[in-house]
Amino acid sequence: MRDSWDSLPVLAQDLIIAGALLLPLLVIGGVLMRGFRPLPLVRALMWRFRWANLLFILLIAVSTGMGIGLIAQERGLRIGSAQAAEKFDLVVTAPGSELTMMLAAVFLQPSAVPLLDGVAYDRIANHPQVQIAAPIAFGDSHDGAPVVGTITDFVTYLSDGRIEGRIFARSGEAVVGAAIDLQIGDRFTPAHGRGSGADAEAHEGVEIEVVGRMARSGSPWDRAILIPVETVWEVHGLANGHTFEEGDRIGPPFTPELFPGTPAVIVHAGELWANYALRSEFTVAGETMAFFPGTVLADLYRVMGDVRQAMSVMSIVTQVLVAASVLLGLFILTRLFQRQLAMLRALGAPRRFVMAVVWGYGVTLLVAGTALGLAFGYAAALVLSRIVTQRTDILVTASITWAEVNLALGFLSAMSLLSLVPALVVLTRPVVENLRQ
Amino acid sequence: MAMPLQISDLEVRAGRRMLLTVAELSAPAGALIGIRGPSGAGKSTFLHALSGLIEARGRLCWGEVDLPRLRPERRTAFRARNMGLIFQDFLLFEELSPQDNAGLSGLFKPRRNREAIGARAAKALARLGVPEGTRTVGSFSGGERQRVAIARALATDPGLLLADEPTASLDRRAADALIEDLTGLARAGGKTLIAVSHDTHLLERLDRVLTIEDGQVTEDTGVQAA
């Protein structure tokens, strides 16, 4: 049984789950409405209490949309951040907070972090399993965008070689991210620092020329300006990692004694399995710390997951409250309509028909509210995603998946079952008494 | 199909309180009968007993069917097949068109009967001069609404028409026109009409008038005539 289920395509599984969730609603609807035409009366009820109905539909929509939007947004952020960190197999930094180091090195969030010295870098770069050991140097910016010093191998690796123009070949050249408002051939002077505290005149006289543009990656590196790490050191009046005899050469190898320091080294191993050994080797107490950004993110997701769970509980509580208010509303509205419902019984309408009218009315509110809720949830996730993308440059895409649809269908089905209660209560009221009211 | 009425030892109670007793009463099929009496005398209770809407004891036979002996759902089905009910304040769905209101029974009748009910509703509406179109009855006058209610009662082609104060919500002119229509249609169709009313204009047009006081039939013009 389990094997046959697992052998089904995912879409088929989702459709089956959706069908199973909808089944109670369909069965109740089928049993109640078989052979009848209650819809004209449902329409009449909908129109009679249109404002109250609209309010109920909005209540259902907001409570459903809140839950759905929350889940969709959280998933979008998780996928977006994971994709943004995809290129960063292993990061080596000075000992400290992995989260702070990851946010600084992978997501380019400004932060003051200690530096690794030339010996440490040399040990990493010369390890036989290390294919790329990219020093990352930051601290400057241009027009709010971080200016990051690194090496050409890393730029090629980061952009998968998708570069318009060319990679920087000497100090004073730059490759910009896809979201940077600079064209190839443009020149700029970096400001010292980032944000409101940036000093635009600190590096006066330094001119950097844009020679290439990376394709969009959906990561904060789209809004970064990459320059040779030597340029960063030079504009800060430091040694550039090379001896005088090496001339204007850029990139590794660096002379450890002339290596001014780097906050992080991005490591790409030749083989995937080697990453675990490297993490172990580069984690040296009091000297260096190696971590997988993916693992740090997974920890972060776990915390986010707890928050999401708490918010999901709140959203479920809201939905239950809304469900209770909808049921209460159904009781009240059917009381307002009880003379007409009693008249139907007096005319000879079977109990099942009267139930079909009341239940159909309730379910119409629920279906409309849930459908609108899905749309609300999607719209909310879309707006939030755009805000997060704009602020972090992590490409967050909102999408409604079968999980959200099934959540909505489950709510709908459960509520359709509960809607039988007011429909049954209507039948317990004496016809003659209701006719006389 | 109109059916004769035969009542003996009929009792309607609310708990231990006796609301209505009718020792003997009979009426031939197609009779037009009025019921009058002071408020709270038991007129509507009698009408509800005749329609099987309330529990009663004794015999109340429409033709061969002894209504109090039927289970509630069988009484509902009997009502759906044989009775057309007209209420004082019409009890229409104001959001629906006159045609939809008049053909209301078609919504819960078997599919095969729907077309016939729709056609009869349309014919009754035309005969009663109800304006055609897509307007909902919410915009209708009282007289027009009561005509729609009569068309609704006639749409299932019942043998029995039971009306509770059918002219009470209408002005004199509209009431007279309605009396003309209601009695005319009942006679033309050979239907039994039983109407609770204070309206002397209506009662004068009927074959026989029962007076109910304190839950008992105290006067029966049909008996006097005999």
Side-chain angles (χ1 to χ4, degrees), chain A residues 35 37 48 337 339 345-346, chain B residues 79 89 93 95 107 114:
Chain A
R37 282 186 60 229
R48 168 82 60 100
F337 233 81
R339 290 199 72 210
R345 293 285 291 144
Chain B
R79 217 166 34 244
D89 50 358
F93 281 91
E95 300 75 15
L107 301 180
R114 282 181 196 156

Side-chain angles (χ1 to χ4, degrees), chain A residues 35-38 40-41 43-45 47-49 337 339-353 431-432 435-437, chain B residues 44-45 48 53-54 72-73 76-77 79-80 83 85 87 89-96 100 104-111 114 152:
Chain A
F36 296 147
R37 282 186 60 229
L41 299 187
R43 271 205 309 272
L45 284 167
W47 185 248
R48 168 82 60 100
F49 305 118
F337 233 81
R339 290 199 72 210
Q340 269 90 348
L341 297 175
M343 177 270 291
L344 288 174
R345 293 285 291 144
L347 289 185
R351 285 167 172 270
R352 188 165 62 86
F353 177 76
V431 174
V432 170
L435 281 174
R436 280 178 173 155
Q437 276 177 357
Chain B
S44 292
T45 301
H48 292 146
L53 281 170
I54 50 175
E73 275 310 298
T76 304
R79 217 166 34 244
M83 294 181 185
L85 270 62
F87 305 95
D89 50 358
F90 333 124
L91 282 177
L92 300 173
F93 281 91
E94 300 203 344
E95 300 75 15
L96 299 182
D100 285 344
L104 199 65
S105 300
L107 301 180
F108 53 82
K109 290 277 188 170
R111 199 182 297 265
R114 282 181 196 156
R152 181 178 66 193

